[in-house]
Amino acid sequence: QTVVTQEPSFSASPGGTVTLTCGLSSGSVSTSHYPSWYQQTPGQTPRTLIHSTNTRSSGVPDRFSGSILGNKAALTITGAQADDESDYYCVLYMSSDIYVFGGGTKLTVL
Amino acid sequence: QVQLQESGPGLVKPSETLSLTCTVSGGSISGYFWSWIRQSPGKGLEWIGYIYYTGSTNYNPSLKSRVTMSVDTSTNQFSLRLDSVTAADTAVYYCARYGPWSFDLWGRGTLVTVSS
């Protein structure tokens, strides 16, 4: 079964740029996987940040951007802030018409 | 605005069936795909499956043998049934709408514990 890979944890400095990635255990991520990204703080419902690789959801600051970098999808946070400290999940749409979540990345800003 | 609300028992015995309902308010269930997603305590998110408002479904292959989803457009509700549950099925269960290429609306989630 396909596994979607994410960094388990990532540390950033306030004001810094963070790039989280979303890959496949076999093969490359492309726009055809319609990568989407979600932010979840503890005890809260996930919030949609990015869909269709690079489209920001309504109300999401432009500090958040999505792209394909090499063979992975990427979420970049420019000017990281303390309240960006959260878990981040990507989701890929697979050709078998199923959706697979990555394991999530725990972002620490300090 | 459209809101989703999960409902159902918070405690299910091992080997029994977990049943949850998601009520869509403030909008129509028609025209969208609707999913169930779960999150085990301290773990990541797992897509369980989707149901289209017409009733067509697709499920996570790892759960397919135990999952059934249904939809009732007259009541604006869709449901999840998970058979033969074990402790590994203990999780917060979310219902979500699949909008333009993302899960754009989520319910608040409901914790289901599998225990005797």
Side-chain angles (χ1 to χ4, degrees), chain A residues 6-91:
Chain A
Q6 295 185 248
E7 298 85 1
S9 62
F10 202 102
S11 188
S13 300
T17 295
V18 175
T19 298
L20 309 181
T21 67
C22 175
L24 284 169
S25 56
S26 177
S28 299
V29 177
S30 72
T31 56
S32 299
H33 290 101
Y34 296 93
S36 55
W37 291 89
Y38 304 82
Q39 178 190 48
Q40 186 182 35
T41 52
Q44 300 297 313
T45 298
R47 168 198 183 197
T48 310
L49 296 175
I50 300 284
H51 68 85
S52 306
T53 304
N54 56 13
T55 303
R56 267 186 303 277
S57 293
S58 178
V60 174
D62 59 8
R63 306 187 291 106
F64 294 88
S65 62
S67 63
I68 299 290
L69 283 181
N71 62 351
K72 296 182 180 182
L75 173 71
T76 299
I77 307 172
T78 305
Q81 300 177 359
D83 61 3
D84 294 333
E85 200 164 277
S86 299
D87 294 326
Y88 291 85
Y89 294 91
C90 68
V91 175

Side-chain angles (χ1 to χ4, degrees), chain A residues 1 34-36 38 40 43-48 50-52 57 89 91 93 96-103, chain B residues 33 35 37 39 43-47 50 58-62 94 98 100-109:
Chain A
Q1 180 157 339
Y34 296 93
S36 55
Y38 304 82
Q40 186 182 35
Q44 300 297 313
T45 298
R47 168 198 183 197
T48 310
I50 300 284
H51 68 85
S52 306
S57 293
Y89 294 91
V91 175
Y93 172 72
S96 48
D97 196 28
I98 65 170
Y99 300 87
V100 183
F101 280 88
Chain B
F33 290 87
S35 273
I37 295 162
Q39 186 169 34
K43 303 289 187 184
L45 297 161
E46 179 180 31
W47 178 75
Y50 74 66
N58 204 13
Y59 305 137
N60 185 325
S62 67
Y94 296 98
Y98 197 74
W101 296 108
S102 70
F103 299 103
D104 66 342
L105 273 180
W106 297 66
R108 295 176 65 108

